[in-house]
Amino acid sequence: MPRIGWLASLMTMLLALLTGCGSNSAPPSAASGKLVVFAAASLKPAFTQLGAQFKAQNAGSNVDFEFAGSSELATQLTQGATADVFASADTAQMDTVAKAGLLSGDPKNFASNTLVIVTAPGNPRKVGSFADLARPGLGVVICQTPVPCGSATQRVEDRTGVHLNPVSEELSVTDVLNKVTTGQADAGLVYVTDAHGAGNKVTTVSFPEAAGAVNVYPIAVLKKAPQPTLAQRFVAMVTGDVGRNILAQLGFAKP
């Protein structure tokens, strides 16, 4: 009996040890982990919604967003910043990242956006056209030229011959919008989606020349993505039906 009891105890210990090793060595779920997404500032409302849906559909995952001007994000990436996905507000900044050899594949265009003028509610300065933005004494704020909204503004200036004298040039379109909503500027050039999100905090003035400077938004998985599986899934969501529906609801057009 003592020998049988000793063998039984030994087998129990070995079984427990093997079971413990098995559970510790099991690979983590492919859906688990933290996804880091660098995205244009104008995408914040849409991607925040998409991020919540993504986490719900991928148990154990989390999404950290870095929202800023696309040129700023591209600079961070080319200088060594680590992320899984890059979504730009124009193709030029995506090209910068691609030329640096940082993409794992071809980017996919998923939306487009158009410039509009925003003013204080009621448009007290009576801005009615792009040319009106050049009026003396009007405090206009725009994006810096490397930023996609600034590049689009420059294209409109070049095509119309109307050159603006802004009181401020900002690093992101959300900064431009903030200058107008807080009364620091009379008017600003932002995207349709930003005006849409601001609601009654601004009056929106469309101008036909903006049709010649539409920005297309591309998205791509980065070559050194720490979470390549999650990155592919996120890009698929953005470019699929879920992404298209959310983007359309917030004023984005098709690419």
Side-chain angles (χ1 to χ4, degrees):
M1 290 296 293
R3 180 178 177 80
I4 294 174
W6 178 81
L7 287 172
S9 298
L10 181 61
M11 290 180 66
T12 301
M13 291 173 64
L14 287 171
L15 180 61
L17 182 61
L18 289 171
T19 302
C21 290
S23 61
N24 290 336
S25 61
S29 168
S32 66
K34 182 178 74 174
L35 182 72
V36 178
V37 177
F38 277 24
S42 53
L43 290 168
K44 185 173 183 178
F47 272 29
T48 299
Q49 289 189 42
L50 283 166
Q53 290 205 27
F54 185 81
K55 287 188 287 185
Q57 294 179 15
N58 294 271
S61 69
N62 194 23
V63 186
D64 280 359
F65 290 107
E66 178 68 26
F67 294 110
S70 297
S71 58
E72 181 181 347
L73 295 174
T75 298
Q76 290 182 33
L77 290 170
T78 56
Q79 290 181 351
T82 299
D84 297 287
V85 175
F86 177 44
S88 174
D90 72 354
T91 56
Q93 298 306 322
M94 183 62 76
D95 288 345
T96 296
V97 176
K99 289 175 182 176
L102 301 178
L103 303 184
S104 70
D106 293 334
K108 297 179 180 179
N109 295 333
F110 65 95
S112 63
N113 222 343
T114 306
L115 290 176
V116 293
I117 301 166
V118 288
T119 72
N123 193 5
R125 299 298 301 272
K126 306 302 179 186
V127 176
S129 67
F130 184 80
D132 284 347
L133 295 178
R135 287 195 328 231
L138 188 72
V140 177
V141 61
I142 63 175
C143 292
Q144 293 182 8
T145 301
V147 182
C149 57
S151 297
T153 299
Q154 185 65 59
R155 293 200 300 273
V156 176
E157 289 185 85
D158 292 343
R159 291 177 180 180
T160 61
V162 176
H163 296 290
L164 307 182
N165 184 29
V167 295
S168 177
E169 296 184 25
E170 302 298 321
L171 284 171
S172 75
V173 69
T174 51
D175 293 334
V176 173
L177 182 65
N178 183 63
K179 289 282 188 179
V180 177
T181 58
T182 58
Q184 298 179 66
D186 298 316
L189 282 165
V190 301
Y191 294 122
V192 169
T193 53
D194 300 290
H196 180 276
N200 59 12
K201 294 181 180 180
V202 299
T203 288
T204 302
V205 180
S206 300
F207 56 99
E209 298 91 343
V214 175
N215 278 0
V216 174
Y217 286 56
I219 188 170
V221 175
L222 294 163
K223 183 178 292 184
K224 295 182 179 180
Q227 297 286 347
T229 300
L230 285 178
Q232 292 289 355
R233 291 182 184 181
F234 185 80
V235 170
M237 174 176 279
V238 171
T239 57
D241 291 340
V242 173
R244 282 194 294 268
N245 290 337
I246 289 176
L247 289 161
Q249 290 170 12
L250 295 175
F252 286 92
K254 294 180 180 180

